[in-house]
PDB file of all heavy atoms in Angstrom:
ATOM      1  N   GLY A   1      93.587 113.634  86.496  1.00 96.00           N
ATOM      2  CA  GLY A   1      94.699 112.800  86.937  1.00 96.00           C
ATOM      3  C   GLY A   1      94.283 111.413  87.371  1.00 96.00           C
ATOM      4  O   GLY A   1      95.120 110.623  87.816  1.00 96.00           O
ATOM      5  N   GLY A   2      93.000 111.117  87.284  1.00 97.00           N
ATOM      6  CA  GLY A   2      92.503 109.801  87.637  1.00 97.00           C
ATOM      7  C   GLY A   2      92.132 109.618  89.097  1.00 97.00           C
ATOM      8  O   GLY A   2      91.798 108.508  89.517  1.00 97.00           O
ATOM      9  N   ASP A   3      92.185 110.698  89.874  1.00 97.00           N
ATOM     10  CA  ASP A   3      91.830 110.600  91.290  1.00 97.00           C
ATOM     11  C   ASP A   3      90.320 110.751  91.481  1.00 97.00           C
ATOM     12  O   ASP A   3      89.636 111.397  90.678  1.00 97.00           O
ATOM     13  CB  ASP A   3      92.549 111.690  92.097  1.00 97.00           C
ATOM     14  CG  ASP A   3      94.059 111.543  92.052  1.00 97.00           C
ATOM     15  OD1 ASP A   3      94.529 110.387  92.054  1.00 97.00           O
ATOM     16  OD2 ASP A   3      94.753 112.576  91.996  1.00 97.00           O
ATOM     17  N   GLY A   4      89.804 110.194  92.562  1.00 97.00           N
ATOM     18  CA  GLY A   4      88.387 110.330  92.866  1.00 97.00           C
ATOM     19  C   GLY A   4      88.015 111.774  93.183  1.00 97.00           C
ATOM     20  O   GLY A   4      88.828 112.551  93.678  1.00 97.00           O
ATOM     21  N   SER A   5      86.769 112.126  92.903  1.00 98.00           N
ATOM     22  CA  SER A   5      86.301 113.504  93.115  1.00 98.00           C
ATOM     23  C   SER A   5      85.321 113.621  94.281  1.00 98.00           C
ATOM     24  O   SER A   5      84.794 114.701  94.537  1.00 98.00           O
ATOM     25  CB  SER A   5      85.624 114.025  91.841  1.00 98.00           C
ATOM     26  OG  SER A   5      84.473 113.253  91.514  1.00 98.00           O
ATOM     27  N   PHE A   6      85.060 112.526  94.991  1.00 98.00           N
ATOM     28  CA  PHE A   6      83.977 112.499  95.970  1.00 98.00           C
ATOM     29  C   PHE A   6      84.083 113.609  97.004  1.00 98.00           C
ATOM     30  O   PHE A   6      83.102 114.321  97.263  1.00 98.00           O
ATOM     31  CB  PHE A   6      83.935 111.143  96.679  1.00 98.00           C
ATOM     32  CG  PHE A   6      82.872 111.060  97.747  1.00 98.00           C
ATOM     33  CD1 PHE A   6      81.549 110.873  97.403  1.00 98.00           C
ATOM     34  CD2 PHE A   6      83.214 111.176  99.095  1.00 98.00           C
ATOM     35  CE1 PHE A   6      80.571 110.795  98.396  1.00 98.00           C
ATOM     36  CE2 PHE A   6      82.245 111.106 100.080  1.00 98.00           C
ATOM     37  CZ  PHE A   6      80.918 110.917  99.726  1.00 98.00           C
ATOM     38  N   TYR A   7      85.245 113.780  97.613  1.00 97.00           N
ATOM     39  CA  TYR A   7      85.343 114.737  98.711  1.00 97.00           C
ATOM     40  C   TYR A   7      85.257 116.187  98.223  1.00 97.00           C
ATOM     41  O   TYR A   7      84.761 117.057  98.950  1.00 97.00           O
ATOM     42  CB  TYR A   7      86.610 114.492  99.534  1.00 97.00           C
ATOM     43  CG  TYR A   7      86.455 113.274 100.415  1.00 97.00           C
ATOM     44  CD1 TYR A   7      87.047 112.058 100.072  1.00 97.00           C
ATOM     45  CD2 TYR A   7      85.668 113.316 101.555  1.00 97.00           C
ATOM     46  CE1 TYR A   7      86.869 110.928 100.857  1.00 97.00           C
ATOM     47  CE2 TYR A   7      85.487 112.191 102.352  1.00 97.00           C
ATOM     48  CZ  TYR A   7      86.086 111.003 102.001  1.00 97.00           C
ATOM     49  OH  TYR A   7      85.894 109.878 102.768  1.00 97.00           O
ATOM     50  N   GLN A   8      85.706 116.455  97.003  1.00 98.00           N
ATOM     51  CA  GLN A   8      85.515 117.791  96.432  1.00 98.00           C
ATOM     52  C   GLN A   8      84.027 118.075  96.228  1.00 98.00           C
ATOM     53  O   GLN A   8      83.540 119.174  96.514  1.00 98.00           O
ATOM     54  CB  GLN A   8      86.241 117.905  95.093  1.00 98.00           C
ATOM     55  CG  GLN A   8      87.748 117.784  95.174  1.00 98.00           C
ATOM     56  CD  GLN A   8      88.378 117.869  93.801  1.00 98.00           C
ATOM     57  OE1 GLN A   8      88.211 118.848  93.082  1.00 98.00           O
ATOM     58  NE2 GLN A   8      89.100 116.821  93.411  1.00 98.00           N
ATOM     59  N   VAL A   9      83.313 117.076  95.720  1.00 98.00           N
ATOM     60  CA  VAL A   9      81.877 117.241  95.470  1.00 98.00           C
ATOM     61  C   VAL A   9      81.118 117.354  96.788  1.00 98.00           C
ATOM     62  O   VAL A   9      80.214 118.186  96.930  1.00 98.00           O
ATOM     63  CB  VAL A   9      81.345 116.061  94.626  1.00 98.00           C
ATOM     64  CG1 VAL A   9      79.847 116.209  94.396  1.00 98.00           C
ATOM     65  CG2 VAL A   9      82.083 115.971  93.298  1.00 98.00           C
ATOM     66  N   LYS A  10      81.483 116.536  97.754  1.00 97.00           N
ATOM     67  CA  LYS A  10      80.838 116.578  99.065  1.00 97.00           C
ATOM     68  C   LYS A  10      80.990 117.965  99.698  1.00 97.00           C
ATOM     69  O   LYS A  10      80.045 118.497 100.295  1.00 97.00           O
ATOM     70  CB  LYS A  10      81.449 115.517  99.971  1.00 97.00           C
ATOM     71  CG  LYS A  10      80.788 115.374 101.344  1.00 97.00           C
ATOM     72  CD  LYS A  10      81.364 114.171 102.072  1.00 97.00           C
ATOM     73  CE  LYS A  10      80.696 113.965 103.438  1.00 97.00           C
ATOM     74  NZ  LYS A  10      81.117 114.982 104.404  1.00 97.00           N
ATOM     75  N   ARG A  11      82.174 118.551  99.550  1.00 98.00           N
ATOM     76  CA  ARG A  11      82.387 119.898 100.082  1.00 98.00           C
ATOM     77  C   ARG A  11      81.485 120.915  99.373  1.00 98.00           C
ATOM     78  O   ARG A  11      80.910 121.812 100.003  1.00 98.00           O
ATOM     79  CB  ARG A  11      83.859 120.293  99.920  1.00 98.00           C
ATOM     80  CG  ARG A  11      84.198 121.660 100.539  1.00 98.00           C
ATOM     81  CD  ARG A  11      85.680 121.942 100.468  1.00 98.00           C
ATOM     82  NE  ARG A  11      86.146 122.024  99.081  1.00 98.00           N
ATOM     83  CZ  ARG A  11      86.983 121.165  98.522  1.00 98.00           C
ATOM     84  NH1 ARG A  11      87.455 120.150  99.237  1.00 98.00           N
ATOM     85  NH2 ARG A  11      87.365 121.295  97.267  1.00 98.00           N
ATOM     86  N   GLY A  12      81.344 120.761  98.058  1.00 98.00           N
ATOM     87  CA  GLY A  12      80.452 121.650  97.318  1.00 98.00           C
ATOM     88  C   GLY A  12      79.015 121.529  97.782  1.00 98.00           C
ATOM     89  O   GLY A  12      78.306 122.535  97.947  1.00 98.00           O
ATOM     90  N   LEU A  13      78.560 120.291  98.018  1.00 97.00           N
ATOM     91  CA  LEU A  13      77.202 120.073  98.512  1.00 97.00           C
ATOM     92  C   LEU A  13      77.024 120.704  99.885  1.00 97.00           C
ATOM     93  O   LEU A  13      75.985 121.325 100.174  1.00 97.00           O
ATOM     94  CB  LEU A  13      76.908 118.576  98.571  1.00 97.00           C
ATOM     95  CG  LEU A  13      75.540 118.182  99.157  1.00 97.00           C
ATOM     96  CD1 LEU A  13      74.401 118.765  98.337  1.00 97.00           C
ATOM     97  CD2 LEU A  13      75.422 116.658  99.237  1.00 97.00           C
ATOM     98  N   GLU A  14      78.023 120.581 100.728  1.00 97.00           N
ATOM     99  CA  GLU A  14      77.941 121.182 102.067  1.00 97.00           C
ATOM    100  C   GLU A  14      77.798 122.693 101.983  1.00 97.00           C
ATOM    101  O   GLU A  14      77.059 123.303 102.762  1.00 97.00           O
ATOM    102  CB  GLU A  14      79.182 120.790 102.880  1.00 97.00           C
ATOM    103  CG  GLU A  14      79.194 119.317 103.274  1.00 97.00           C
ATOM    104  CD  GLU A  14      80.539 118.861 103.814  1.00 97.00           C
ATOM    105  OE1 GLU A  14      81.525 119.647 103.729  1.00 97.00           O
ATOM    106  OE2 GLU A  14      80.628 117.722 104.326  1.00 97.00           O
ATOM    107  N   HIS A  15      78.497 123.328 101.035  1.00 98.00           N
ATOM    108  CA  HIS A  15      78.356 124.772 100.843  1.00 98.00           C
ATOM    109  C   HIS A  15      76.942 125.127 100.377  1.00 98.00           C
ATOM    110  O   HIS A  15      76.363 126.129 100.832  1.00 98.00           O
ATOM    111  CB  HIS A  15      79.383 125.285  99.836  1.00 98.00           C
ATOM    112  CG  HIS A  15      80.794 125.311 100.355  1.00 98.00           C
ATOM    113  ND1 HIS A  15      81.118 125.785 101.600  1.00 98.00           N
ATOM    114  CD2 HIS A  15      81.970 124.944  99.777  1.00 98.00           C
ATOM    115  CE1 HIS A  15      82.422 125.700 101.789  1.00 98.00           C
ATOM    116  NE2 HIS A  15      82.965 125.191 100.695  1.00 98.00           N
ATOM    117  N   LEU A  16      76.381 124.332  99.485  1.00 97.00           N
ATOM    118  CA  LEU A  16      75.015 124.576  99.016  1.00 97.00           C
ATOM    119  C   LEU A  16      74.030 124.527 100.177  1.00 97.00           C
ATOM    120  O   LEU A  16      73.153 125.399 100.310  1.00 97.00           O
ATOM    121  CB  LEU A  16      74.618 123.539  97.960  1.00 97.00           C
ATOM    122  CG  LEU A  16      75.287 123.620  96.596  1.00 97.00           C
ATOM    123  CD1 LEU A  16      74.919 122.399  95.756  1.00 97.00           C
ATOM    124  CD2 LEU A  16      74.883 124.901  95.857  1.00 97.00           C
ATOM    125  N   ILE A  17      74.181 123.519 101.025  1.00 96.00           N
ATOM    126  CA  ILE A  17      73.281 123.356 102.165  1.00 96.00           C
ATOM    127  C   ILE A  17      73.473 124.490 103.167  1.00 96.00           C
ATOM    128  O   ILE A  17      72.505 125.063 103.683  1.00 96.00           O
ATOM    129  CB  ILE A  17      73.509 121.978 102.824  1.00 96.00           C
ATOM    130  CG1 ILE A  17      73.108 120.852 101.859  1.00 96.00           C
ATOM    131  CG2 ILE A  17      72.732 121.875 104.131  1.00 96.00           C
ATOM    132  CD1 ILE A  17      73.476 119.458 102.336  1.00 96.00           C
ATOM    133  N   MET A  18      74.734 124.844 103.428  1.00 96.00           N
ATOM    134  CA  MET A  18      75.048 125.906 104.382  1.00 96.00           C
ATOM    135  C   MET A  18      74.438 127.242 103.968  1.00 96.00           C
ATOM    136  O   MET A  18      73.941 128.002 104.797  1.00 96.00           O
ATOM    137  CB  MET A  18      76.567 126.048 104.516  1.00 96.00           C
ATOM    138  CG  MET A  18      77.020 127.029 105.589  1.00 96.00           C
ATOM    139  SD  MET A  18      78.831 127.228 105.574  1.00 96.00           S
ATOM    140  CE  MET A  18      79.359 125.514 105.671  1.00 96.00           C
ATOM    141  N   GLU A  19      74.442 127.513 102.664  1.00 97.00           N
ATOM    142  CA  GLU A  19      73.944 128.799 102.168  1.00 97.00           C
ATOM    143  C   GLU A  19      72.485 128.737 101.717  1.00 97.00           C
ATOM    144  O   GLU A  19      71.975 129.684 101.116  1.00 97.00           O
ATOM    145  CB  GLU A  19      74.824 129.278 101.005  1.00 97.00           C
ATOM    146  CG  GLU A  19      76.248 129.611 101.412  1.00 97.00           C
ATOM    147  CD  GLU A  19      76.331 130.736 102.428  1.00 97.00           C
ATOM    148  OE1 GLU A  19      75.529 131.693 102.325  1.00 97.00           O
ATOM    149  OE2 GLU A  19      77.180 130.645 103.343  1.00 97.00           O
ATOM    150  N   ASN A  20      71.822 127.604 101.994  1.00 97.00           N
ATOM    151  CA  ASN A  20      70.401 127.444 101.666  1.00 97.00           C
ATOM    152  C   ASN A  20      70.099 127.650 100.183  1.00 97.00           C
ATOM    153  O   ASN A  20      69.106 128.283  99.804  1.00 97.00           O
ATOM    154  CB  ASN A  20      69.542 128.404 102.509  1.00 97.00           C
ATOM    155  CG  ASN A  20      69.576 128.070 103.985  1.00 97.00           C
ATOM    156  OD1 ASN A  20      69.445 126.910 104.363  1.00 97.00           O
ATOM    157  ND2 ASN A  20      69.772 129.086 104.810  1.00 97.00           N
ATOM    158  N   VAL A  21      70.963 127.112  99.351  1.00 97.00           N
ATOM    159  CA  VAL A  21      70.738 127.162  97.907  1.00 97.00           C
ATOM    160  C   VAL A  21      69.785 126.027  97.527  1.00 97.00           C
ATOM    161  O   VAL A  21      69.931 124.898  98.007  1.00 97.00           O
ATOM    162  CB  VAL A  21      72.068 127.001  97.140  1.00 97.00           C
ATOM    163  CG1 VAL A  21      71.826 127.046  95.631  1.00 97.00           C
ATOM    164  CG2 VAL A  21      73.048 128.096  97.552  1.00 97.00           C
ATOM    165  N   ASP A  22      68.825 126.323  96.675  1.00 97.00           N
ATOM    166  CA  ASP A  22      67.951 125.264  96.172  1.00 97.00           C
ATOM    167  C   ASP A  22      68.764 124.340  95.265  1.00 97.00           C
ATOM    168  O   ASP A  22      69.467 124.808  94.360  1.00 97.00           O
ATOM    169  CB  ASP A  22      66.789 125.855  95.374  1.00 97.00           C
ATOM    170  CG  ASP A  22      65.759 126.537  96.265  1.00 97.00           C
ATOM    171  OD1 ASP A  22      65.678 126.187  97.449  1.00 97.00           O
ATOM    172  OD2 ASP A  22      65.053 127.425  95.759  1.00 97.00           O
ATOM    173  N   TYR A  23      68.658 123.049  95.497  1.00 97.00           N
ATOM    174  CA  TYR A  23      69.477 122.127  94.705  1.00 97.00           C
ATOM    175  C   TYR A  23      68.785 120.778  94.604  1.00 97.00           C
ATOM    176  O   TYR A  23      67.860 120.445  95.361  1.00 97.00           O
ATOM    177  CB  TYR A  23      70.858 121.928  95.349  1.00 97.00           C
ATOM    178  CG  TYR A  23      70.822 121.092  96.604  1.00 97.00           C
ATOM    179  CD1 TYR A  23      71.036 119.714  96.553  1.00 97.00           C
ATOM    180  CD2 TYR A  23      70.528 121.673  97.837  1.00 97.00           C
ATOM    181  CE1 TYR A  23      70.967 118.944  97.709  1.00 97.00           C
ATOM    182  CE2 TYR A  23      70.454 120.912  98.984  1.00 97.00           C
ATOM    183  CZ  TYR A  23      70.672 119.553  98.916  1.00 97.00           C
ATOM    184  OH  TYR A  23      70.596 118.781 100.049  1.00 97.00           O
ATOM    185  N   ASN A  24      69.204 119.983  93.639  1.00 96.00           N
ATOM    186  CA  ASN A  24      68.854 118.572  93.603  1.00 96.00           C
ATOM    187  C   ASN A  24      70.099 117.785  93.241  1.00 96.00           C
ATOM    188  O   ASN A  24      71.067 118.335  92.706  1.00 96.00           O
ATOM    189  CB  ASN A  24      67.691 118.284  92.642  1.00 96.00           C
ATOM    190  CG  ASN A  24      67.957 118.754  91.235  1.00 96.00           C
ATOM    191  OD1 ASN A  24      68.986 118.430  90.647  1.00 96.00           O
ATOM    192  ND2 ASN A  24      67.032 119.522  90.677  1.00 96.00           N
TER     193      ASN A  24
END
């Protein structure tokens, strides 16, 4: 729809960090 995705992605990153998932 043309809207920014930043806050959706930021939430996903926070879940990765919270659950100690290896990520880059």
Side-chain angles (χ1 to χ4, degrees):
D3 297 323
S5 62
F6 178 78
Y7 285 103
Q8 296 178 58
V9 178
K10 185 173 182 287
R11 184 175 63 246
L13 176 61
E14 289 168 351
H15 288 315
L16 290 172
I17 295 172
M18 186 185 307
E19 294 299 323
N20 294 314
V21 180
D22 287 336
Y23 73 93
N24 56 52

